[in-house]
Amino acid sequence: GEVHTMGIMLLIFTPIPYMDATSSWGFRSKWQRLLVGAAGMIVEVFIAALAVFVWSRTGPGLVHGIAYNMIFVASVSTVLFNINPLLRFDGYYMLSDLVEVPNLHTRAGDQLKFLCKRFLFGLRDARSPAATRTGAFWLTVFAVASHIYRIVLFSGIILFVAGRFLILGLIMAAICLTGWIVVPLVKLAHYLAASPELARARPRALAVTLGGAAAVLAFLAFVPFPAHFRAPGIFEAAQRSQIVTAAPGIPVEILSESGSEVATGQALVRLENPEIDLAIRLAEARLREFEARLRLAMRSATADLAPLRQRLGAERETLAKLRADREQLTIRAPHAGTFVAPGIRESLGRDLARGTALGLVIDTAGYEFVATVEQDDADRVFARDLTGAEARIRGQAADAIAFGAIHKIPAEQRVLPSPVLGWGAGGDIPTSDPEGRVAAEGFFTLRAELPPADELGALALHGRSATARFPIGREPLLPRWIRGLRQLLQRRFQL
């Protein structure tokens, strides 16, 4: 096969090379034609595979970032565009050749028109482009799926472009609305009003079209459906304490293993700090010195008594603080529970600053669920009573955990209850800081009481993420869609 045309085209402002491979249609073997159609995708996936090795063996930097972008572009774009038969790219022509149905897209559209003419308008002379019922079924499925996928995909592209170039996004949206809604409606009106094909069935066609549109609109606008919203969150023990170093030191002995049950005041970790011991001896020496000077002043220099007493009090406070720091080198449990510190042994021998987190002490007797609610759902949260809510743990969606009383916290927050809810840890909430703790947008918090721990069984675990479902009554679909569209435009474009 000969290639007579090749070049570069812009796809979403991205240069994409292309070439004309139509000469492959002259090959006798179907599989050779399919191989030519898949050649570009094979190369892209191969390049993405090589980029995976580069990305996994490099640290943060230019090469690492380029490899990551190559993985994403060469794999995701291939799945969304090239290999997908619902768009008229390589995958579409490969499918058309594989099933031996030329002009698959056109024939699928003609099948939908046939169904409308035959069963809605009553045109008995209408003919299906399919030779068999099976073929007619698959043409119908392909037509519906391709239209839905095209709308969803191009809507996502428009939102992506509008997020960076608002005017250009609005122009693209206007073009799509014109091509998807205005032009088809104009053609439909012209067909209903002037097509000779409807000479005897025009009244029925008009009645079915207008009545069907009114029925669909009334169904969407007035028939209520169960409504709910979802919110990601985590399970937290009702009583929990973070174990931190109250004084700087070096951990030298683990007195309670991670995962063990501890009592109130039980020693967990012992630290050493020679500097504190030296500081205590120095403070004791200074204290003895000022005590001696005070006794001497009481006999000979009474004018120095007040300053010496003040200095003696300061030295006693310093010594008491140093002794308290020495006592705090042995870290103890603030309350009974389970000591959780999976990386505690890695800290042995390391110099830890004051306030370094070592683990948690969790009371497993009771748990609560902390849900993060987006601003779009805030009005539904505070305007209704939330009853019948439940949560499902990721990876164990078959087990639903019913909520008890739900406490609403009306103050907007930005710091997530746990980094596991943010994008950096695979969560659903966009974050704006490297640690993944600060949400990109404000949210509201709900705290739900859970059944006793003995009823939850193995499902109860502090820090596990889940998705909560909050029923909010019944509401028609059309108002929901309109509200969701308005919230989207306000949130992303301030329109």
Side-chain angles (χ1 to χ4, degrees), residues 4 23 114 204 285 291 388 425-426 441 448 455 466 493:
H4 298 283
S23 61
F114 159 76
R204 173 177 173 174
E291 287 176 345
E441 297 182 358
E455 296 183 14
F493 311 113

Side-chain angles (χ1 to χ4, degrees), residues 118-443:
R118 179 67 179 83
F119 298 102
L120 295 181
F121 299 163
L123 299 180
R124 300 185 178 276
D125 295 336
R127 293 290 180 267
S128 171
T132 62
R133 290 187 175 181
T134 302
F137 171 78
W138 287 113
L139 284 177
T140 304
V141 170
F142 180 84
V144 174
S146 62
H147 280 82
I148 294 176
Y149 184 79
R150 188 179 298 110
I151 292 175
V152 171
L153 180 63
F154 279 89
S155 298
I157 293 175
I158 291 172
L159 290 175
F160 174 79
V161 174
R164 289 155 177 78
F165 310 99
L166 180 58
I167 301 300
L168 189 58
L170 294 176
I171 294 175
M172 292 179 61
I175 294 174
C176 290
L177 289 176
T178 301
W180 293 343
I181 298 178
V182 177
V183 173
L185 287 178
V186 171
K187 290 183 177 180
L188 177 61
H190 182 268
Y191 175 76
L192 294 175
S195 175
E197 193 176 21
L198 297 176
R200 297 184 178 181
R202 199 177 310 279
R204 173 177 173 174
L206 290 172
V208 168
T209 302
L210 298 178
V216 171
L217 184 62
F219 177 79
L220 296 176
F222 300 109
V223 178
F225 285 86
H228 67 273
F229 70 91
R230 301 181 186 274
I234 62 168
F235 292 96
E236 289 185 349
Q239 186 179 18
R240 60 196 180 275
S241 298
Q242 188 173 30
I243 304 302
V244 299
T245 55
I250 301 173
V252 294
E253 185 179 3
I254 307 299
L255 303 175
S256 298
E257 294 294 336
S258 177
S260 61
E261 296 294 327
V262 296
T264 303
Q266 180 175 334
L268 304 176
V269 184
R270 185 173 66 86
L271 287 73
E272 287 185 353
N273 190 335
E275 294 181 0
I276 291 181
D277 296 332
L278 292 175
I280 290 176
R281 288 197 292 270
L282 180 60
E284 291 174 343
R286 286 200 304 266
L287 182 61
R288 290 192 296 269
E289 175 190 353
F290 282 104
E291 287 176 345
R293 292 175 62 180
L294 180 62
R295 288 193 297 269
L296 180 62
M298 292 175 67
R299 287 182 289 178
S300 60
T302 56
D304 296 336
L305 289 178
L308 287 173
R309 287 192 178 112
Q310 292 179 357
R311 185 63 183 272
L312 185 62
E315 292 297 334
R316 286 172 177 169
E317 291 180 0
T318 300
L319 181 59
K321 182 180 181 303
L322 290 172
R323 287 173 176 172
D325 286 345
R326 184 172 60 183
E327 290 294 327
Q328 290 174 344
L329 289 176
T330 300
I331 301 176
R332 301 181 182 276
H335 56 79
T338 303
F339 179 46
V340 180
I344 187 65
R345 291 203 167 274
E346 298 177 1
S347 63
L348 288 175
R350 296 172 54 189
D351 192 2
L352 302 182
R354 187 190 305 268
T356 302
L358 297 178
L360 295 170
V361 173
I362 300 171
D363 185 358
T364 58
Y367 289 87
E368 64 181 1
F369 185 80
V370 182
T372 56
V373 181
E374 296 180 353
Q375 294 185 13
D376 294 345
D377 299 319
D379 59 334
R380 291 180 281 182
V381 169
F382 298 106
R384 296 177 172 87
D385 292 331
L386 303 177
T387 58
E390 62 183 18
R392 296 180 184 270
I393 299 175
R394 292 186 177 183
Q396 295 177 262
D399 300 315
I401 302 175
F403 291 161
I406 298 177
H407 306 283
K408 306 173 184 178
I409 301 177
E412 181 181 307
Q413 302 183 37
R414 296 296 293 268
V415 180
L416 297 176
S418 171
V420 74
L421 300 177
W423 276 0
D428 301 324
I429 302 177
T431 54
S432 58
D433 67 315
E435 290 77 19
R437 292 299 302 265
V438 180
E441 297 182 358
F443 61 89

Side-chain angles (χ1 to χ4, degrees), residues 480-490:
R480 291 193 225 171
W481 296 345
I482 294 176
R483 181 176 60 249
L485 179 61
R486 292 178 59 187
Q487 290 174 342
L488 175 65
L489 295 177
Q490 291 173 358

